[in-house]
Amino acid sequence: MNRLVAFPFLTLSDAAVEAGPWLLALDGGDPAAAGRFLEHWDQSTTLALQRNLRIDPEIASADLGIPPEDLRLAVVTRVGTGAGRLPRLIAHTDRQQVSPSQPEAQIRLTVRGERLSTVLDLFTEVILAAAPAVRGPLSPGQAGDRLWHHRQRTRLEGEEPRFPLEVVDLRAMRLHAPADAAPWYLDWSPRDWSRDIYGAIRLYLNSSCEEVVQRVESRDPLTLQAILADAMIQVCEALLRQPEAAEIISESEPGSLAAQAGSWLELAWPQQDLDFARAMLETRPSEFRAGFLAIAEAAD
């Protein structure tokens, strides 16, 4: 959740919301954790979605300045779809009440494939369901006030975009030796984390390394795995070295360089925070890089 937004009222901390991962299943198959891309989907399939979420009553009460007996919350889920940063269609909406006596929400949704296209956006929000009788001066007071939110974006239709690619003589790019003899070069900058990921990184294959060029053109899996892992490692290392990395990710738009880096880090170490990944980078750099080599095989 973005903690940098200056809300006019108190909101829930991440510690107050125990949110499990989104699980997706096609046509009655086994559920699997939602990732960046959903394989084997088409408009004839039926998609089952599920997620468990629990509000800790004591932490929520302290966060919001509302006595537990007056705290009435709701979990709202919206399923969006369509190309672009914002969904073009909300295909489904679900709302469940939660309270100190019933703090858990079990979200179970089914969406027909014919209502989806390109992207699956899953929005989860915790809102104030009713105005409290007793509250503090900075407590939320209006039904519908948004107190916590999360967005999961998964691509559909096999349209996972690739980095722009060009075959060039790296010597012509005036790189310092020995970089101009590398088999490939990833051109990107950590100065603008808000750029779209697929416009922020360009892959240059060295024309003098003919075998590597041929392997990429033939989609050799090990070569593609190494290149994607190289991109993951470069971007995530640079982001983790930023003192405000958590804020950069929390403010990022889906599809941005920062959002993609956050997704890669979550994919490598699910349920771990940035401090864990930073400690891995600083104290166990070999394991840090090996982790990205492993997930690059699954992500490609």
Side-chain angles (χ1 to χ4, degrees):
M1 177 179 173
N2 188 347
R3 306 300 299 173
L4 295 181
V5 176
F7 287 98
F9 47 77
L10 297 172
T11 58
L12 292 172
S13 65
D14 288 335
V17 184
E18 302 172 15
W22 275 108
L23 301 178
L24 311 181
L26 286 174
D27 290 333
D30 294 331
R36 294 186 303 121
F37 173 63
L38 180 62
E39 295 182 344
H40 310 305
W41 175 91
D42 62 54
Q43 291 192 329
S44 67
T45 59
T46 298
L47 182 61
L49 318 170
Q50 64 183 68
R51 185 184 203 183
N52 294 334
L53 187 143
R54 183 182 185 277
I55 309 295
D56 187 297
E58 294 184 2
I59 298 178
S61 175
D63 284 346
L64 302 177
I66 298 174
E69 60 271 16
D70 283 331
L71 191 56
R72 297 293 180 270
L73 304 175
V75 177
V76 177
T77 304
R78 292 180 293 128
V79 180
T81 192
R85 292 194 173 187
L86 296 177
R88 296 186 178 183
L89 171 70
I90 299 299
H92 194 96
T93 301
D94 177 79
R95 175 180 172 129
Q96 296 186 38
Q97 301 288 119
V98 292
S99 65
S101 61
Q102 191 174 4
E104 296 185 4
Q106 294 185 338
I107 304 167
R108 303 289 187 269
L109 308 174
T110 301
V111 183
R112 299 192 308 275
E114 63 192 36
R115 292 183 57 80
L116 302 175
S117 67
T118 310
V119 169
L120 176 70
D121 273 317
L122 301 174
F123 300 91
T124 311
E125 299 176 347
V126 179
I127 66 172
L128 194 67
V134 179
R135 63 187 181 98
L138 295 179
S139 301
Q142 300 295 322
D145 285 345
R146 189 171 73 171
L147 311 176
W148 182 91
H149 68 98
H150 175 263
R151 181 182 188 179
Q152 167 71 43
R153 165 162 278 207
T154 298
R155 293 193 62 84
L156 306 172
E157 300 186 25
E159 295 181 355
E160 181 72 358
R162 305 286 175 178
F163 303 136
L165 182 152
E166 188 174 346
V167 179
V168 300
D169 184 348
L170 291 187
R171 293 172 298 183
M173 298 182 66
R174 300 183 181 277
L175 301 178
H176 296 291
D180 58 0
W184 67 79
Y185 173 71
L186 289 163
D187 185 25
W188 74 286
S189 171
R191 288 192 293 268
D192 186 0
W193 293 100
S194 64
R195 288 192 64 188
D196 184 273
I197 176 65
Y198 296 104
I201 299 177
R202 178 173 289 275
L203 171 62
Y204 291 100
L205 299 179
N206 196 341
S207 59
S208 65
C209 299
E210 296 181 3
E211 184 178 355
V212 173
V213 174
Q214 292 174 0
R215 288 182 180 181
V216 172
E217 290 176 345
S218 64
R219 302 187 60 78
D220 174 66
L222 288 178
T223 304
L224 296 179
Q225 180 181 357
I227 292 173
L228 179 56
D230 187 19
M232 291 177 170
I233 291 167
Q234 288 193 38
V235 173
C236 290
E237 282 189 357
L239 180 59
L240 289 173
R241 291 193 174 100
Q242 300 288 329
E244 67 279 12
E247 289 80 5
I248 292 173
I249 293 175
S250 67
E251 287 189 315
S252 64
E253 291 286 338
S256 67
L257 186 62
Q260 185 61 71
S263 176
W264 284 335
L265 288 164
E266 173 65 22
L267 186 63
W269 297 287
Q271 311 303 319
Q272 298 290 350
D273 58 18
L274 292 186
D275 289 337
F276 176 89
R278 189 176 286 113
M280 288 284 290
L281 172 61
E282 294 174 353
T283 64
R284 307 178 73 173
S286 296
E287 187 174 344
F288 179 89
R289 290 167 176 81
F292 285 108
L293 277 166
I295 67 169
E297 179 181 18
D300 182 62

